[in-house]
Each structure stands twice: as C-alpha cells, then as structure tokens.
Amino acid sequence: MKVLILTHGTRGDVQPYAALAHALRQAGHEAVLGAPAAPASLAEPYGQPFAALDDGPNRLINNPDIREAVETNYRGLRGKKAALTVIKRTKPLMVQVMADMAAAADGGADVIVHPPGFPCHHIAERLGVPAVPAAMQPVWVPTGTFPNPMLAGVTVPRALNRASYLPTRLLLRTSVAGVADRFRRETLHLPRRRGRHDVLRTPDGSPVTVLQAFSTHVLPPRLDYPSWVHTTGFWYLPAAPGWTPPAELSAFLRAGEPPVYIGFGSMAGTDPRRVGRIVAEAVKLAGVRAVLVSGWGGIHLDDLPDTMLLLDQAPHDWLFPRMAAIVHHGGSGTTGAALASGRPQVICLFVADQPFWASRMHAAGVAPAPQSQRGLTPHSLAAAITAAATDQGMAERADNLGARIRAENGVHTAVRILETLA
C-alpha cells in the first residue's frame, strides 16, 4: 500500500512520523513523508521519499511573544493574550502549508496519516481514502480516567474528566476552521458538510482509526479508550545506517564516568543565557559531567567548562543508554526515548503536555519531582541531577520500565493496524 504521512513542526515533532515511514518501507510498503524542509535530514539517510512543506508556523519559534508564551505556559491574563496572538499569527501561515500538503497528495495514496491538530482529513476525503490521526499526546480522545493533560495545574473533578477535553477541540476549530473551509472550497473543491472539522469522525459520521504513539505503561490505570483507538507504544527512529559517533564524543565518554545528557529540544524561553548559567552551575554543584545539546537556542553558554561537551545532535537510541541520567524538557518524543534507554530522567518542563509527562515519570518512580523552567535554580537542578544519577532504586525502576517500553515495538504495531485499512 501507499501511505502519505503529513506532519509539521520542529525536528522532535516530525521524528516519530519519520519512524513510521521507515517502518512502513521496511515492511514492503510505499511511504511518503511530507514535512517542513528543515527536518528533511531525518529522511535522507534512509532514502525516504520526502515532500517538503512550507515552514508555516515554524517561522514563529524565535518570536519574543512566542518565547514568553512558552516560558509561562500561557498562564494568567498575559498568557491568554499570548495564546490569542499565536492563533492570530498562525492562521495565515497555515494557508501555504495546507496547499503544499494537497500537492504532496497529487500522487495519490491508500491511507493518509497526520497529526490530529492538522486538518489533513480533508485531503483524505478528496481522495476517498481513510485518514488516520496519529497522536503523540493523550489530549485528543476523551477518557474518564484522567483529565486533559493540557489543563496542567487546573483541578478537574473526576466526573468532568471527559468534558475537559472539549477545550482542545474548540481551540483547534478556532485555529484552523476558517483556513480549512477555504482550503476545502478553493483547493479541494469539496462542499460544506456537517461535522467536517471533526478529525475523529469519517465523512459518514463513523469513528476513524486513531493511533496513539505512546505507551499505556506510563498512563494512569483503568483506561477506557474505545476500540477504534490504538495506543501502540512509542515510535522510535533508529540511528541511520552507518552512523558513527564523532571522535570528540567517543573521547569524552571514555574520559570518565558516564555523563548526564542535558537538552531542551526546540523549547526556548526568553533568556537562554540565564538557562545556560543555571545548567553550568548545576553541573558543577552536582559534580557530574554533561553532554549538552543546545537545540534551537534554548540553552546558551558563553564559555563551556571541561566537564561539558556541546553537541549539535546525536541519535537518542545510541546516546541515551550511555548516560547516567537524561535531563530534558518533557516532550513526548524525548520522554519516550529516555524511557526506552532505561535511564532515570530529570524533566525541566515548559508548556503544553510537558507537565503531564513530567508528572507521569515522577509517578513511575523514574524521575525526581519535575522542575519548572521558569523557577529553575542551580541548586534545585543540581539536587535533581544528583538524585537521578545516584539513586539505585530509581535506576532499577527505569531499567525495568525501559525493558517493557522496548518490548512494545509501537511503530510495528502501528504498521500492522494500517495494513488492515488499505
């Protein structure tokens, strides 16, 4: 079968979908990955067919208002104003992204896989093929087991757990409905219909097949997802064929005890130099060595001490198992990679679903209490790093949970489910 995978965002957002494309091709299917040009390096080493999409909302990442919104997690009146600004600025940037996604579908497909936050189901409707929302966070399908993870810090009575997922869907409708209607009318030549913006329903109103690319092992117990929702386990992209670590990394690893990994991906607050100073001082206070991945400017250091090595990037499946602990921002992809490595974690959260993953890692006993980026101090971070790197019980729990996570092989489960649709 031919599967068109359409996604957007930064490298961390795209990587799980690249993993699915790679697994589909390994299983003998045809897969085309449509994503912004910047993460194209994820596809190139595997010979993965790639359709470059306009950068769209990615252009806003370094905007000061966006950085402040990320740092404050949209809290307070200022945060709500920032959220409205993000929506307002995102809408016009989506127009070309959607046009490029439609162009990527010109070659046809048997199935379209997409993030629930992008209205690619309209393209599938035009082709007359199934659309499969693939969620990286448990925020799209309501459950009575736990409240919407996007409402971190808000107390929700258990009876209202399901209702708490409604704001996410309303926000999606507010964000893209106008662009989607114009896209349906002018590009896809589709008529208006009732329920057209519901990504969880087919055009005839029946439920779609939903893939959730995370593990039930880290969710609260007694889940009640419907049968058409498949929680497969995390999706991992293996290191590229022939990849070898740079000489400086190999030398650094040989030079002493296993270091800690510190990286916050594409997350960047308003003062990366402040974060850099905190990280450097915390590493010193904890008496550890560290491999630092600065990401999209989230950490800035003017002088790098001998105890720290700066990397542009390295495959998580190779690097993380060699670390004493993983310090990260709590994105679903990095959380999944840290889980698979079997190493303890320290989560310094920013925004969105990150507080949820941070709380789940702490509840699982594989991470100390979460650290908020806004309230981060050298001493609090040093204490968390020390706990993660030295607590034997935490290390054993991380190792045991990692074995269960790896055994799921989530991306291959996803391939088998997609094979039933074409």
Side-chain angles (χ1 to χ4, degrees), residues 5 42 46 48 71 126 138 148 156 195 241 266-267 286 314 352 357 359 388:
I5 303 170
L42 289 169
Y46 306 89
Q48 169 64 50
E71 190 173 274
R126 179 68 180 86
N148 187 344
V156 178
S266 61
M267 293 291 101
W357 294 120
S359 68

Side-chain angles (χ1 to χ4, degrees), residues 261-264 326-331 334-335 338 345-349:
Y261 167 94
I262 303 176
F264 301 142
I326 315 298
V327 182
H328 63 98
H329 59 292
T334 310
T335 300
Q345 306 175 41
V346 174
I347 299 185
C348 304
L349 57 92

Side-chain angles (χ1 to χ4, degrees), residues 3-4 15 60 70 79 206 214 217 222 224 230 256 363 376 383 422:
V3 181
L4 176 60
Q15 185 157 320
L60 299 177
V70 166
S206 58
F214 42 84
H217 292 313
R222 295 180 294 278
D224 59 357
H230 304 272
L376 202 62

Side-chain angles (χ1 to χ4, degrees), residues 216-363:
T216 57
H217 292 313
V218 298
L219 296 181
R222 295 180 294 278
L223 294 169
D224 59 357
Y225 288 123
S227 60
W228 42 273
V229 176
H230 304 272
T231 308
T232 64
F234 291 96
W235 298 354
Y236 300 114
L237 182 67
W243 185 88
T244 56
E248 60 177 351
L249 174 57
S250 296
F252 187 77
L253 294 177
R254 289 194 302 266
E257 292 295 314
V260 297
Y261 167 94
I262 303 176
F264 301 142
S266 61
M267 293 291 101
T270 56
D271 193 352
R273 277 190 166 83
R274 166 188 165 270
V275 177
R277 289 192 299 269
I278 291 172
V279 165
E281 183 64 20
V283 167
K284 181 179 178 180
L285 289 170
V288 297
R289 304 186 314 137
V291 172
L292 176 69
V293 177
S294 62
W296 285 36
I299 307 173
H300 184 92
L301 280 172
D302 293 316
D303 296 302
L304 202 67
D306 293 339
T307 55
M308 298 179 70
L309 174 70
L310 179 65
L311 288 181
D312 178 34
Q313 59 181 311
H316 288 170
D317 67 329
W318 187 94
L319 183 64
F320 281 7
R322 292 167 168 81
M323 301 291 104
I326 315 298
V327 182
H328 63 98
H329 59 292
S332 62
T334 310
T335 300
L339 282 165
S341 75
R343 306 308 302 143
Q345 306 175 41
V346 174
I347 299 185
C348 304
L349 57 92
F350 283 85
V351 70
D353 61 317
Q354 295 163 14
F356 174 80
W357 294 120
S359 68
R360 294 312 305 160
M361 295 304 97
H362 183 49

Side-chain angles (χ1 to χ4, degrees), residues 338-345 364-367 392-406:
L339 282 165
S341 75
R343 306 308 302 143
Q345 306 175 41
V366 301
Q392 188 58 36
M394 192 179 296
E396 290 175 0
R397 289 189 292 273
D399 184 55
N400 291 335
L401 182 54
R404 284 184 285 155
I405 293 291
R406 293 190 299 273

